[in-house]
Amino acid sequence: MTLYLKDATFLDWQNLAIKRTDLAVAEGSQGDISFPTTLPSDDSMAPQDRVIECTGKLVTKSFGCGHHHIYSTLARGMPAPRKIPANFTEILQYVWWHIDKRLDLEMIEASALASAIYCAKNGVTFVIDHHASPLAIKDSLSAIAQAFDRVGIAHMLCYEISDRDGEGPREEGLAETDNFLAAGHQGHVGLHASFTVGDELLRKAVALAKKHDSGLHVHVAEDRADQEDALAKYGKRVVERLVQADALELKKSILAHCIHLSDREKEMLRESGVWVVQNVESNQNNNVGLTGYAPLTDNVMLGTDGMHCDMLRSAQAAFLVGQATEGIGFDGIYQRFRNVHRYAREFGARGDGDNNLVILDYDAPTELTADNFLGHFVYGLDARHVETVICQGRAIVENRRVTTVDEGEVLAFAREMGKKLWGKM
Ligand SMILES: [Zn+2]
């Protein structure tokens, strides 16, 4: 099947060149786009081929998220915790670990479907997720994969394994990861964070990641408590611990947050070449601190940390925070916003090819050119401009409605599952 985009204003996401053109978008996990000089006539098109009129519309590569948690979807509007958390560790204890232990497979499916709808409608077509449901681990990753596939969002998943609930859930987490990756799914070996992961688990996780030619996906120094715990228990800092366990030899590894690092840790990280994800909105929400990422590495992606599914919003938040922490420029934040595609390409991830596109109905009050696009990116573009979204050559959103599933049904299912979850809390 080929989708033809007629008379688009096409913005090349890499060099920001803008041209008015027709596009031919091929279907498939690594499908291509081309720029035909003329569109085929109605008679010469294959039965499944379609033309989408794009006059006056801005067309560019769709977006990706470097660190997400679908498990937080049903938390929106939930009752207050029985104790108001006083610090980050208590936020985990009284909020997130209270929720994730009550998730079952049905709730996970609802969370993933609703989250995938929001991603789709925000133009986010490639999602790297980090999942936890300690009492429903088995088949949780395939449930999320199926939900994302139904909506049409490409994904790299993992289960956040830890020692926080003892040996049973830890071994189940390893088994679920092993089975999921052995079945040919792309993903990571997920770990919660240094302070919930003992040495034996860390060793096993690194070995499992090596076995599947993958990497770890782990929260690192999100709060000072993670460093204090590592120093008290192991006599070393978090990144030193990961280095000594060979975790940073795995180039696919993703370290989320990395807020409280020493200069030596920053050096180690830079030398390793692994990837870091910045999630400033979540960091402000949890009041864990902020850092400038330029001294750490160039391999910085942006994530939502499960706060929402809107990467334009994350980029704009990271830009504003970056003014205070590192004086980041338009080009710097745009690079970080787009680095998720570099990551996907570097490791041959499926589902983030050139045939992932957004059609934006961007009502700019001023001229948009290759030279000033980044100003529009930071101050103008937002999710309300996303009109049509193409993932792997399929239009999964058209005229702001998801085409692949019934949005109303999914959200009704999510609300039912939300009630069930809250009833258990
Ligand atoms: Zn996270």
PDB file of all heavy atoms in Angstrom, residues 67-69 71 130 160 217 219 222 256-257 279 282 305-306, ligand 1:
ATOM      1  N   HIS A  67      11.390   7.770  27.242  1.00  0.00           N
ATOM      2  CA  HIS A  67      11.164   7.140  28.560  1.00  0.00           C
ATOM      3  C   HIS A  67       9.722   7.401  28.981  1.00  0.00           C
ATOM      4  O   HIS A  67       9.345   8.538  29.269  1.00  0.00           O
ATOM      5  CB  HIS A  67      12.145   7.710  29.597  1.00  0.00           C
ATOM      6  CG  HIS A  67      12.014   7.106  30.959  1.00  0.00           C
ATOM      7  ND1 HIS A  67      12.426   5.820  31.246  1.00  0.00           N
ATOM      8  CD2 HIS A  67      11.510   7.596  32.130  1.00  0.00           C
ATOM      9  CE1 HIS A  67      12.192   5.557  32.536  1.00  0.00           C
ATOM     10  NE2 HIS A  67      11.626   6.616  33.088  1.00  0.00           N
ATOM     11  N   HIS A  68       8.942   6.332  29.001  1.00  0.00           N
ATOM     12  CA  HIS A  68       7.516   6.461  29.290  1.00  0.00           C
ATOM     13  C   HIS A  68       7.121   5.384  30.296  1.00  0.00           C
ATOM     14  O   HIS A  68       7.843   4.397  30.486  1.00  0.00           O
ATOM     15  CB  HIS A  68       6.740   6.306  27.967  1.00  0.00           C
ATOM     16  CG  HIS A  68       5.283   6.634  28.059  1.00  0.00           C
ATOM     17  ND1 HIS A  68       4.792   7.721  28.737  1.00  0.00           N
ATOM     18  CD2 HIS A  68       4.176   6.019  27.537  1.00  0.00           C
ATOM     19  CE1 HIS A  68       3.468   7.753  28.636  1.00  0.00           C
ATOM     20  NE2 HIS A  68       3.068   6.725  27.922  1.00  0.00           N
ATOM     21  N   HIS A  69       5.980   5.593  30.966  1.00  0.00           N
ATOM     22  CA  HIS A  69       5.411   4.564  31.850  1.00  0.00           C
ATOM     23  C   HIS A  69       3.921   4.478  31.561  1.00  0.00           C
ATOM     24  O   HIS A  69       3.153   5.308  32.068  1.00  0.00           O
ATOM     25  CB  HIS A  69       5.570   4.951  33.327  1.00  0.00           C
ATOM     26  CG  HIS A  69       6.970   5.059  33.818  1.00  0.00           C
ATOM     27  ND1 HIS A  69       7.791   3.970  33.984  1.00  0.00           N
ATOM     28  CD2 HIS A  69       7.697   6.139  34.218  1.00  0.00           C
ATOM     29  CE1 HIS A  69       8.961   4.371  34.468  1.00  0.00           C
ATOM     30  NE2 HIS A  69       8.937   5.676  34.610  1.00  0.00           N
ATOM     31  N   TYR A  71       2.020   2.483  32.820  1.00  0.00           N
ATOM     32  CA  TYR A  71       1.325   2.064  34.035  1.00  0.00           C
ATOM     33  C   TYR A  71       0.743   3.233  34.823  1.00  0.00           C
ATOM     34  O   TYR A  71      -0.074   3.044  35.713  1.00  0.00           O
ATOM     35  CB  TYR A  71       2.214   1.193  34.924  1.00  0.00           C
ATOM     36  CG  TYR A  71       3.365   1.895  35.619  1.00  0.00           C
ATOM     37  CD1 TYR A  71       3.135   2.793  36.651  1.00  0.00           C
ATOM     38  CD2 TYR A  71       4.682   1.628  35.259  1.00  0.00           C
ATOM     39  CE1 TYR A  71       4.179   3.434  37.297  1.00  0.00           C
ATOM     40  CE2 TYR A  71       5.734   2.258  35.895  1.00  0.00           C
ATOM     41  CZ  TYR A  71       5.478   3.160  36.912  1.00  0.00           C
ATOM     42  OH  TYR A  71       6.518   3.785  37.529  1.00  0.00           O
ATOM     43  N   HIS A 130       8.773   1.689  30.133  1.00  0.00           N
ATOM     44  CA  HIS A 130       9.397   1.061  31.301  1.00  0.00           C
ATOM     45  C   HIS A 130       8.219   0.695  32.200  1.00  0.00           C
ATOM     46  O   HIS A 130       7.561   1.577  32.749  1.00  0.00           O
ATOM     47  CB  HIS A 130      10.306   2.135  31.921  1.00  0.00           C
ATOM     48  CG  HIS A 130      11.305   1.681  32.910  1.00  0.00           C
ATOM     49  ND1 HIS A 130      11.105   1.812  34.255  1.00  0.00           N
ATOM     50  CD2 HIS A 130      12.534   1.129  32.750  1.00  0.00           C
ATOM     51  CE1 HIS A 130      12.197   1.366  34.888  1.00  0.00           C
ATOM     52  NE2 HIS A 130      13.071   0.938  34.001  1.00  0.00           N
ATOM     53  N   GLU A 160      10.336  -3.284  34.616  1.00  0.00           N
ATOM     54  CA  GLU A 160      11.320  -2.754  35.580  1.00  0.00           C
ATOM     55  C   GLU A 160      11.490  -3.737  36.741  1.00  0.00           C
ATOM     56  O   GLU A 160      10.750  -3.729  37.707  1.00  0.00           O
ATOM     57  CB  GLU A 160      10.982  -1.335  36.055  1.00  0.00           C
ATOM     58  CG  GLU A 160       9.691  -1.113  36.787  1.00  0.00           C
ATOM     59  CD  GLU A 160       9.650   0.224  37.543  1.00  0.00           C
ATOM     60  OE1 GLU A 160       9.655   1.277  36.895  1.00  0.00           O
ATOM     61  OE2 GLU A 160       9.597   0.201  38.781  1.00  0.00           O
ATOM     62  N   HIS A 217      17.582  -0.591  30.837  1.00  0.00           N
ATOM     63  CA  HIS A 217      16.816   0.662  30.882  1.00  0.00           C
ATOM     64  C   HIS A 217      16.512   0.869  32.356  1.00  0.00           C
ATOM     65  O   HIS A 217      15.755   0.108  32.953  1.00  0.00           O
ATOM     66  CB  HIS A 217      15.536   0.526  30.043  1.00  0.00           C
ATOM     67  CG  HIS A 217      14.734   1.802  29.949  1.00  0.00           C
ATOM     68  ND1 HIS A 217      13.615   1.921  29.162  1.00  0.00           N
ATOM     69  CD2 HIS A 217      14.896   3.015  30.531  1.00  0.00           C
ATOM     70  CE1 HIS A 217      13.123   3.152  29.279  1.00  0.00           C
ATOM     71  NE2 HIS A 217      13.878   3.825  30.105  1.00  0.00           N
ATOM     72  N   HIS A 219      16.398   3.737  35.951  1.00  0.00           N
ATOM     73  CA  HIS A 219      16.429   5.078  36.544  1.00  0.00           C
ATOM     74  C   HIS A 219      17.763   5.255  37.271  1.00  0.00           C
ATOM     75  O   HIS A 219      18.151   4.385  38.056  1.00  0.00           O
ATOM     76  CB  HIS A 219      15.309   5.235  37.568  1.00  0.00           C
ATOM     77  CG  HIS A 219      13.921   5.127  36.991  1.00  0.00           C
ATOM     78  ND1 HIS A 219      13.039   4.146  37.337  1.00  0.00           N
ATOM     79  CD2 HIS A 219      13.282   5.898  36.080  1.00  0.00           C
ATOM     80  CE1 HIS A 219      11.897   4.323  36.685  1.00  0.00           C
ATOM     81  NE2 HIS A 219      12.015   5.365  35.906  1.00  0.00           N
ATOM     82  N   GLU A 222      17.931   9.677  40.221  1.00  0.00           N
ATOM     83  CA  GLU A 222      16.779  10.569  40.042  1.00  0.00           C
ATOM     84  C   GLU A 222      16.653  11.467  41.284  1.00  0.00           C
ATOM     85  O   GLU A 222      16.325  12.636  41.179  1.00  0.00           O
ATOM     86  CB  GLU A 222      15.522   9.716  39.855  1.00  0.00           C
ATOM     87  CG  GLU A 222      14.228  10.487  39.711  1.00  0.00           C
ATOM     88  CD  GLU A 222      13.048   9.583  39.366  1.00  0.00           C
ATOM     89  OE1 GLU A 222      13.260   8.355  39.287  1.00  0.00           O
ATOM     90  OE2 GLU A 222      11.934  10.104  39.179  1.00  0.00           O
ATOM     91  N   ALA A 256      17.729   6.789  32.732  1.00  0.00           N
ATOM     92  CA  ALA A 256      16.774   7.887  32.864  1.00  0.00           C
ATOM     93  C   ALA A 256      17.166   8.785  34.031  1.00  0.00           C
ATOM     94  O   ALA A 256      17.595   8.291  35.075  1.00  0.00           O
ATOM     95  CB  ALA A 256      15.378   7.334  33.080  1.00  0.00           C
ATOM     96  N   HIS A 257      17.045  10.071  33.836  1.00  0.00           N
ATOM     97  CA  HIS A 257      17.237  11.148  34.833  1.00  0.00           C
ATOM     98  C   HIS A 257      18.692  11.579  35.025  1.00  0.00           C
ATOM     99  O   HIS A 257      19.052  12.669  34.608  1.00  0.00           O
ATOM    100  CB  HIS A 257      16.596  10.785  36.186  1.00  0.00           C
ATOM    101  CG  HIS A 257      15.146  10.436  36.077  1.00  0.00           C
ATOM    102  ND1 HIS A 257      14.216  11.332  35.625  1.00  0.00           N
ATOM    103  CD2 HIS A 257      14.465   9.281  36.325  1.00  0.00           C
ATOM    104  CE1 HIS A 257      13.024  10.764  35.615  1.00  0.00           C
ATOM    105  NE2 HIS A 257      13.144   9.511  36.024  1.00  0.00           N
ATOM    106  N   ASN A 279      13.834  14.115  31.791  1.00  0.00           N
ATOM    107  CA  ASN A 279      12.365  14.171  32.014  1.00  0.00           C
ATOM    108  C   ASN A 279      12.057  15.315  32.986  1.00  0.00           C
ATOM    109  O   ASN A 279      11.663  15.089  34.135  1.00  0.00           O
ATOM    110  CB  ASN A 279      11.869  12.874  32.654  1.00  0.00           C
ATOM    111  CG  ASN A 279      12.309  11.624  31.923  1.00  0.00           C
ATOM    112  OD1 ASN A 279      11.655  11.178  31.002  1.00  0.00           O
ATOM    113  ND2 ASN A 279      13.423  11.037  32.342  1.00  0.00           N
ATOM    114  N   SER A 282       8.591  15.668  35.114  1.00  0.00           N
ATOM    115  CA  SER A 282       8.469  14.710  36.205  1.00  0.00           C
ATOM    116  C   SER A 282       9.400  15.112  37.354  1.00  0.00           C
ATOM    117  O   SER A 282       9.030  15.032  38.525  1.00  0.00           O
ATOM    118  CB  SER A 282       8.827  13.319  35.689  1.00  0.00           C
ATOM    119  OG  SER A 282       9.115  12.454  36.737  1.00  0.00           O
ATOM    120  N   ASP A 305       8.363  10.401  31.262  1.00  0.00           N
ATOM    121  CA  ASP A 305       8.326   9.686  32.541  1.00  0.00           C
ATOM    122  C   ASP A 305       6.883   9.366  32.942  1.00  0.00           C
ATOM    123  O   ASP A 305       6.569   9.303  34.128  1.00  0.00           O
ATOM    124  CB  ASP A 305       9.033  10.507  33.638  1.00  0.00           C
ATOM    125  CG  ASP A 305       9.585   9.618  34.756  1.00  0.00           C
ATOM    126  OD1 ASP A 305       9.730   8.404  34.540  1.00  0.00           O
ATOM    127  OD2 ASP A 305       9.849  10.144  35.857  1.00  0.00           O
ATOM    128  N   GLY A 306       6.017   9.194  31.945  1.00  0.00           N
ATOM    129  CA  GLY A 306       4.630   8.813  32.225  1.00  0.00           C
ATOM    130  C   GLY A 306       3.722   9.964  32.645  1.00  0.00           C
ATOM    131  O   GLY A 306       2.550   9.750  32.927  1.00  0.00           O
TER     132      GLY A 306
HETATM  133 ZN    ZN B   1      10.643   6.703  34.940  1.00  0.00          ZN
END
